[in-house]
């Protein structure tokens, strides 16, 4: 298999999983227990918190561990569910399916998949209490002007939340520079274990998960120590791999342009993250092309994996262009395990088609 769907979930890092399996006793204890095994697990959990906090320029006390970014997004939005919320038309489903339809304002995007800061300024009203913007779009890789948004909102009584899932490890993140009030990141997008994420909170919000007193009463539920460790250890590896991933994306585009395939890149490649490439193939519908690629051992996608394998046209590409283009677009997303030899094979398969 050639796996080019890393934006859905990255290939797990075997060396980290192997370490966890070989040291299971270190991860077995409940970190809230006072005995030796609990204290050992707590030590790993808090060291992982320190590393993850450092990776986004945050204080460890402001980082809360969760089951993933979906929980983070839901937590923030539910805290403002009765207020006016501004977000974009190309957000992840964990945002679009959570905001109230009657009190939400959706910002349009241009053909590069980017919002207009002036449009945001025009939409902000005295009723606006929350602005939610994705740092890097999960389907096109388009980078939103979140720093400019944070600067604009910094002197206003408006909470600013950033979904930084696709940015984490691929684009530098500093919560102080971004001037955000909260931020969501996820471990499995960089090679960590599924089911673990983190939330940066400048100030506490009402707890979304009710139960015990974990995470200093900010999020209930038994801590996933192995998930925290896998995310913390994956991040520095991701930083080392960024340049290689960027080169693979550039190589893919260059080689694709050499064969007789009618294609266009969705968005401005210069304004996208290095690991995501969304391509419009005028001659082939997405479902056909994905099936053909799959039959040749190549994994790609037509949009967000969170849409349960649906072949419905991407709402992101539809908002950037139109539904016809969305029905002919495929996302390739690159990871640390990919090689130029794999890219050559994909180009060969497309050439044969």
């Amino acid at each position: 298999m050639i796996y080019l769907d890393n934006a859905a979930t990255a290939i797990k890092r075997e060396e980290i999983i192997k370490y966890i399996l070989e040291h299971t006793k270190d991860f077995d204890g409940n970190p809230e227990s006072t005995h030796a095994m609990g204290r050992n697990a707590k030590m790993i959990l808090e060291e992982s918190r320190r590393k993850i906090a450092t990776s986004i320029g945050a204080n460890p006390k402001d980082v809360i561990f969760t089951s993933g970014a979906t929980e983070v997004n839901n937590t923030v939005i539910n805290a403002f569910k009765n207020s006016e919320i501004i977000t974009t038309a190309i957000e992840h489903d964990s945002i679009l399916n959570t905001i109230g339809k009657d009190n939400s304002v959706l910002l349009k995007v241009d053909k590069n998949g980017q919002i207009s800061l002036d449009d945001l300024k025009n939409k902000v009203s005295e009723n606006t209490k929350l602005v939610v913007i994705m740092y890097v779009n999960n389907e096109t890789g388009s980078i939103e002007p979140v720093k400019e948004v944070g600067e604009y909102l910094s002197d206003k009584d408006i909470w600013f939340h950033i979904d930084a899932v696709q940015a984490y490890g691929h684009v530098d993140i500093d919560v102080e520079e971004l001037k955000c009030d909260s931020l969501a990141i996820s471990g499995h997008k960089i090679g960590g274990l599924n089911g673990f994420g983190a939330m940066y909170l400048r100030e506490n919000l009402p707890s979304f998960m009710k139960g015990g007193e974990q995470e200093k009463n900010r999020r209930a539920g038994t801590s996933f120590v192995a998930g925290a460790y896998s995310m913390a250890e994956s991040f520095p590896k991701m930083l080392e791999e960024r340049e290689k991933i960027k080169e693979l994306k550039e190589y893919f585009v260059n080689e694709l342009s050499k064969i007789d395939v009618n294609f266009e890149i969705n968005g401005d490649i210069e304004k996208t993250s290095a690991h995501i490439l969304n391509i419009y193939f005028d001659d082939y519908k997405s479902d056909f092309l994905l099936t053909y690629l799959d039959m040749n051992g190549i994994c790609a996608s037509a949009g967000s994996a969170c849409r349960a394998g649906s072949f419905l046209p991407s709402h992101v590409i539809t908002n950037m262009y139109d539904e016809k283009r969305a029905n002919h677009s495929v996302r390739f997303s690159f990871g640390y395990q990919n090689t130029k030899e794999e890219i050559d094979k994909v180009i060969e398969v497309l050439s044969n088609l």
Side-chain angles (χ1 to χ4, degrees):
M1 283 290 178
I2 297 175
Y3 187 76
L4 294 177
D5 198 21
N6 290 275
T9 189
I11 295 294
K12 303 297 169 283
R13 298 179 186 274
E14 292 185 13
E15 68 275 20
I16 293 177
I17 296 175
K18 183 178 180 181
Y19 178 88
I20 293 171
L21 291 174
E22 291 177 348
H23 300 81
T24 53
K25 292 299 180 185
D26 292 338
F27 299 90
D28 280 344
N30 188 320
E32 300 304 316
S33 299
T34 57
H35 50 63
M37 286 183 66
R39 295 196 303 273
N40 194 56
K42 184 74 168 181
M43 182 178 66
I44 295 174
L45 188 73
E46 294 309 316
E47 177 61 13
S48 298
R49 192 189 311 276
R50 184 192 66 78
K51 290 180 178 180
I52 292 170
T54 300
S55 73
I56 58 173
N59 189 312
K61 70 179 179 61
D62 297 327
V63 173
I64 301 169
F65 290 157
T66 70
S67 64
T70 291
E71 182 190 325
V72 177
N73 292 337
N74 274 255
T75 298
V76 174
I77 292 172
N78 274 278
F80 294 90
K81 60 185 176 182
N82 296 320
S83 307
E84 182 179 275
I85 300 171
I86 296 179
T87 187
T88 80
I90 61 169
E91 293 298 309
H92 188 269
D93 285 342
S94 62
I95 292 169
L96 293 179
N97 290 341
T98 308
I99 59 173
K101 305 301 181 184
D102 296 331
N103 62 333
S104 60
V105 178
L106 297 183
L107 301 175
K108 295 182 179 180
V109 295
D110 60 20
K111 290 189 176 181
N112 292 328
Q114 295 176 317
I115 63 166
S116 161
L117 189 59
D118 288 336
D119 185 30
L120 170 64
K121 292 178 179 179
N122 290 332
K123 295 294 195 303
V124 168
S125 72
E126 60 182 12
N127 297 319
T128 305
K129 295 302 178 184
L130 172 65
V131 172
V132 181
I133 306 288
M134 186 186 291
Y135 198 154
V136 171
N137 186 264
N138 59 313
E139 294 191 28
T140 66
S142 60
I143 300 174
E144 297 297 336
V146 289
K147 291 182 181 179
E148 291 81 356
V149 173
E151 186 67 37
Y152 168 67
L153 295 174
S154 61
D155 61 350
K156 295 175 175 55
D157 185 24
I158 299 175
W159 190 279
F160 181 35
H161 175 65
I162 298 176
D163 179 341
V165 169
Q166 294 295 343
Y168 191 58
H170 299 283
V171 178
D172 291 340
I173 298 174
D174 187 311
V175 293
E176 295 302 323
E177 289 183 4
L178 295 174
K179 300 184 185 302
C180 59
D181 297 293
S182 56
L183 181 138
I185 51 179
S186 182
H188 76 104
K189 303 294 187 180
I190 60 171
L193 295 174
N194 292 42
F196 182 84
M199 168 169 55
Y200 163 74
L201 270 185
R202 190 178 298 277
E203 298 177 18
N204 284 342
L205 290 175
S207 177
F208 183 59
M209 300 289 285
K210 309 292 185 182
E213 300 177 358
Q214 294 89 350
E215 297 296 307
K216 297 180 180 178
N217 283 314
R218 297 174 299 181
R219 193 270 184 186
T222 303
S223 300
F224 185 13
V225 182
Y229 175 85
S230 71
M231 183 175 179
E233 296 302 311
S234 292
F235 182 79
K237 296 178 182 295
M238 194 73 247
L239 294 184
E240 296 173 0
E241 298 152 356
R242 272 163 48 161
E243 188 60 32
K244 173 197 170 185
I245 292 172
K246 178 182 177 182
E247 291 174 358
L248 284 175
K249 179 177 175 177
E250 293 173 348
Y251 183 73
F252 187 103
V253 174
N254 289 335
E255 295 303 304
L256 188 62
S257 64
K258 295 177 183 179
I259 64 174
D260 188 22
V261 174
N262 186 18
F263 78 95
E264 294 177 21
I265 296 173
N266 289 322
D268 183 349
I269 195 170
E270 299 300 324
K271 298 178 180 179
T272 61
S273 172
H275 70 299
I276 298 177
L277 180 65
N278 200 297
I279 299 180
Y280 166 58
F281 294 94
D282 186 42
D283 298 326
Y284 307 106
K285 292 192 70 174
S286 306
D287 52 357
F288 166 80
L289 194 51
L290 289 175
T291 301
Y292 173 76
L293 290 170
D294 190 37
M295 290 171 65
N296 284 275
I298 300 165
C299 303
S301 67
S304 172
C306 296
R307 297 212 163 192
S310 170
F311 277 126
L312 292 173
S314 159
H315 73 287
V316 175
I317 305 301
T318 299
N319 276 282
M320 289 171 60
Y321 299 95
D322 51 47
E323 189 170 308
K324 189 258 185 183
R325 188 162 178 130
N327 277 316
H328 287 251
S329 294
V330 170
R331 179 186 71 182
F332 299 93
S333 48
F334 309 94
Y336 70 90
Q337 82 288 349
N338 293 129
T339 64
K340 286 187 176 181
E341 288 73 23
E342 289 183 332
I343 302 302
D344 289 338
K345 175 62 177 177
V346 176
I347 298 301
E348 178 187 346
V349 168
L350 290 172
S351 180
N352 290 338
L353 176 63

